[in-house]
Amino acid sequence: MSFAPKTAPYSGKINAVTLGTGDKAIVIGGQNVMPFYTFDAPIENAPKIGVEISDAADSWTTPGLVDFYAGCTTMAERAKRAETMEGADFLCLRFESADPNGADRSVADCVADAKAVAEAVSMPIVIMGCKNMEKDGELFSKISEALQGKNILVMSAKNEDYKTVGASVALAYGQKVGAETADDINLAKQLNIMLKGLSINPENIVMDIGTAAVGYGYEYAASTFDRIRLAALAQSDADLQMPILAAVSADTWSVKESTASEEDEPAWGSQEERAIDMEVATAAADLTGGADAVIMRHPAAIATIKKFITELV
């Protein structure tokens, strides 16, 4: 007698959120099983990979990144090149130079870059700011207005500014909005409830629940991923059924393993290989924990994670 395994799909289901328009539009979320549990039910939408494109990318000195973007001098040119990257599903524009405590680029200049990218590419676009709440609030509103109709995702609304960001991004201009918290299931749920209280459709919300480079307190991130995904699926908690996006590159390229030179740490080997390994390990951990999309930087790391996803779904 043949063996018929018992499947265990859940009654709860992750919301399916569409980003972008046209042939390159993507859908994240939509599954009713734990990550990569294809033996329980098909994965409706495989996890997606975004390519980070920073307005401070001129400071990137990693050989693989320098070679890949050789000849590119503007954000739009880098975005156009990134569309050709193996494994890329969407583009993430990170405006870190807008930070008033850094280069303090004007909102107008950042908006001009975002518009130029939107005109040059067809992939979905995700926007990240500089982590200065006041500057990001203005930046998010202006970019959402300038890219109206492009169905972008703006990361992120926080507990402190969710009303202004949610209203300007999702309600005024019809964009998707990210809900950002830090490794806490209760805070994540509370923020989703507050955004829904503004009359934002749950299918227009994506969660950024925090991550960390592996080895840097990652157990907190892992626990949060697991608890949120189980609550969404096993308990059918509608306030935690938003798909999760993990900004991997922001954490992995800032730790010592990625930044220490070979001269400073000769026993550690190639600096670039260390950074790639850190990015791959963290992205794989986030995806197996429940992330529906990850943002990454290095072409070799992205190609590796694309293969990882393809072989598991």
Side-chain angles (χ1 to χ4, degrees):
M1 184 173 67
S2 62
F3 172 69
K6 183 178 180 180
T7 60
Y10 294 97
S11 57
K13 188 174 184 180
I14 306 304
N15 300 337
V17 176
T18 301
L19 303 179
T21 60
D23 294 340
K24 294 290 184 70
I26 61 172
V27 179
I28 59 175
Q31 67 274 15
N32 68 330
V33 292
M34 293 298 285
F36 303 115
Y37 277 37
T38 54
F39 44 81
D40 280 339
I43 303 297
E44 187 168 327
N45 299 298
K48 302 299 190 293
I49 303 172
V51 183
E52 178 194 1
I53 301 162
S54 172
D55 63 349
D58 288 339
S59 64
W60 292 356
T61 58
T62 303
L65 291 170
V66 172
D67 290 345
F68 184 82
Y69 291 108
C72 298
T73 59
T74 66
M75 213 171 187
E77 289 173 350
R78 293 187 189 97
K80 191 68 177 175
R81 183 72 56 80
E83 275 199 309
T84 68
M85 192 180 295
E86 180 186 356
D89 296 302
F90 64 93
L91 307 173
C92 176
L93 309 186
R94 185 181 178 196
F95 291 98
E96 55 185 321
S97 293
D99 189 352
N101 298 313
D104 197 20
R105 287 189 73 215
S106 70
V107 169
D109 286 345
C110 294
V111 171
D113 275 346
K115 290 177 65 176
V117 169
E119 292 169 359
V121 304
S122 55
M123 275 187 173
I125 294 173
V126 171
I127 301 294
M128 293 182 70
C130 63
K131 300 301 182 182
N132 178 281
M133 196 173 301
E134 183 176 349
K135 189 70 170 284
D136 280 350
E138 183 182 1
L139 181 65
F140 292 161
S141 178
K142 295 296 185 182
I143 290 180
S144 295
E145 180 182 14
L147 271 57
Q148 196 167 5
K150 295 292 185 179
N151 196 26
I152 66 172
L153 168 63
V154 176
M155 306 294 288
S156 293
K158 304 179 182 67
N159 183 69
E160 298 86 352
D161 64 356
Y162 77 94
K163 288 183 179 179
T164 54
V165 173
S168 63
V169 170
L171 298 180
Y173 302 115
Q175 313 287 17
K176 303 298 193 295
V177 62
E180 180 180 343
T181 52
D183 300 330
D184 190 303
I185 184 173
N186 296 314
L187 293 179
K189 180 172 180 175
Q190 180 184 26
L191 183 54
N192 289 337
I193 291 171
M194 292 190 297
L195 286 170
K196 289 165 65 176
L198 296 176
S199 298
I200 297 175
N201 191 313
E203 280 71 33
N204 290 336
I205 301 172
V206 172
M207 289 190 288
D208 175 3
I209 61 172
T211 184
V214 290
Y216 284 81
Y218 188 81
E219 60 270 21
Y220 294 102
S223 173
T224 306
F225 274 101
D226 288 344
R227 293 178 66 199
I228 287 177
R229 193 43 45 104
L230 283 170
L233 298 177
Q235 300 172 23
S236 297
D237 190 333
D239 296 322
L240 289 170
Q241 290 178 335
M242 294 73 175
I244 298 170
L245 184 150
V248 172
S249 54
D251 282 281
T252 57
W253 284 86
S254 61
V255 296
K256 186 176 182 181
E257 287 81 356
S258 300
T259 61
S261 69
E262 293 168 40
E263 290 74 20
D264 290 338
E265 299 290 350
W268 288 9
S270 166
Q271 180 181 352
E272 181 168 22
E273 289 182 9
R274 283 187 263 122
I276 292 170
D277 290 347
M278 183 64 73
E279 190 167 31
V280 168
T282 303
D286 285 347
L287 290 167
T288 53
D292 300 280
V294 290
I295 295 170
M296 303 178 68
R297 183 182 298 181
H298 198 286
I302 289 171
T304 300
I305 289 297
K306 184 64 174 183
K307 183 178 180 181
F308 172 82
I309 293 170
T310 301
E311 292 188 357
L312 286 177
V313 299

